[in-house]
Amino acid sequence: ANYDEQKAWPLVVALHGAFSTAGAFERESGFSDLADRSGFVVAYPNGIGVLGHLQHWNAGHCCGLAAKDHVDDVGFLRYVIDDVARKVHVDPQRVYVAGHSNGAMLAYRFAAENSERIAAVCVVSGAIGSSPGEDQETCRIGPPKTAVPLLALHGRQDQSIPFAGGPGLHRGGRCYMSVVDSVGLWAHYCGCCPTPQVQDDPHGGPSVLTWRDAQGDTWASLYILDHWEHAWPGACHCSQLPPEHPLR
């Protein structure tokens, strides 16, 4: 409602998880309301579907038909950003990508392969690498050309992409890198010291792991959500938390 074409606006590209949709992710993420309140543009692309359903993304190491058929979802996201910029006045220095689950994996991949195009990346319930099975080699997303700040959030009770890594529930035996290893690898790519700083919330809120470089600049932060499972951590899923939890 407050759009001003004379102003360059930040853009957030919001990526749904596997078997979800752009519309469903708009509802569960709350990004549209936040965009109106905070002053940014948000775009919700749809992944490739099977028979018009089961949308998902090719994140390189995962998942499904999109990965098997080598769908160019990285190229698609470049097109999305350019297409939005043709319709509204986007600030090219403030383009962000955020994703959930399989969308988070694609966010990692896009940030690695198009680091010059985005200001930061957010991954929720995602891993930077996986393998088809426990006895097979892990495929990891490679380093970005230039360092990109990362915000990661993950539920400690996530069984689809386990916090500690390993086989995911209902994922056909696919095994994932642990969350700390995933974020730590990205921090390594960005030149950070290997040991993160740990901050625990005495009131029961998220623990935060922060990776900094030798100059003290933060490049990666991981928020660990106790009692949280695989859902996007928004208001519509707060019933997962105990009544006394500070995030409710």
Side-chain angles (χ1 to χ4, degrees):
N2 297 321
Y3 175 70
D4 178 359
E5 65 180 10
Q6 301 303 314
K7 174 184 174 181
W9 294 79
L11 168 65
V12 173
V13 180
L15 305 176
H16 64 76
F19 304 160
S20 185
T21 64
F25 192 47
E26 180 185 17
R27 291 189 295 273
E28 70 181 17
S29 69
F31 267 138
S32 291
D33 290 339
L34 182 61
D36 288 342
R37 295 197 307 271
S38 300
F40 62 91
V41 176
V42 58
Y44 304 92
N46 258 319
I48 189 173
V50 179
L51 300 177
H53 304 283
L54 307 177
Q55 280 90 341
H56 60 292
W57 307 102
N58 175 16
H61 65 91
C62 180
C63 296
L65 189 65
K68 180 181 178 182
D69 289 351
H70 305 288
V71 174
D72 185 11
D73 281 323
V74 171
F76 172 55
L77 293 190
R78 286 196 298 266
Y79 172 83
V80 168
I81 293 170
D82 292 342
D83 188 50
V84 173
R86 285 189 288 266
K87 295 176 170 62
V88 296
H89 190 183
V90 170
D91 183 348
Q93 302 301 314
R94 292 189 292 170
V95 175
Y96 306 85
V97 177
H100 177 236
S101 190
N102 180 214
M105 300 177 203
L106 179 58
Y108 264 132
R109 184 183 180 190
F110 188 83
E113 298 183 17
N114 294 268
S115 56
E116 72 284 357
R117 298 201 61 170
I118 63 172
V121 60
C122 175
V123 300
V124 178
S125 307
I128 202 170
S130 67
S131 66
E134 292 186 84
D135 59 346
Q136 300 188 51
E137 183 178 358
T138 297
C139 176
R140 298 171 176 83
I141 292 169
K145 296 176 183 177
T146 58
V148 176
L150 168 70
L151 170 65
L153 300 93
H154 209 104
R156 200 181 289 277
Q157 305 304 318
D158 192 331
Q159 298 184 60
S160 295
I161 301 178
F163 183 85
L169 187 66
H170 309 309
R171 298 273 171 159
R174 179 164 290 277
C175 295
Y176 298 93
M177 288 179 59
S178 77
V179 176
V180 174
D181 286 347
S182 292
V183 180
L185 179 59
W186 189 266
H188 169 71
Y189 288 160
C190 295
C192 292
C193 302
T195 303
Q197 296 183 355
V198 181
Q199 179 181 353
D200 293 319
D201 187 335
H203 303 293
S207 297
V208 183
L209 275 60
T210 302
W211 285 259
R212 294 185 169 93
D213 62 18
Q215 289 72 46
D217 294 325
T218 298
W219 288 98
S221 296
L222 168 62
Y223 283 69
I224 303 171
L225 308 180
D226 287 327
H227 309 291
W228 204 269
E229 299 178 3
H230 191 66
W232 179 270
C236 62
H237 293 123
C238 274
S239 59
Q240 291 189 18
L241 297 177
E244 68 278 7
H245 197 282
L247 290 183
R248 282 186 69 95

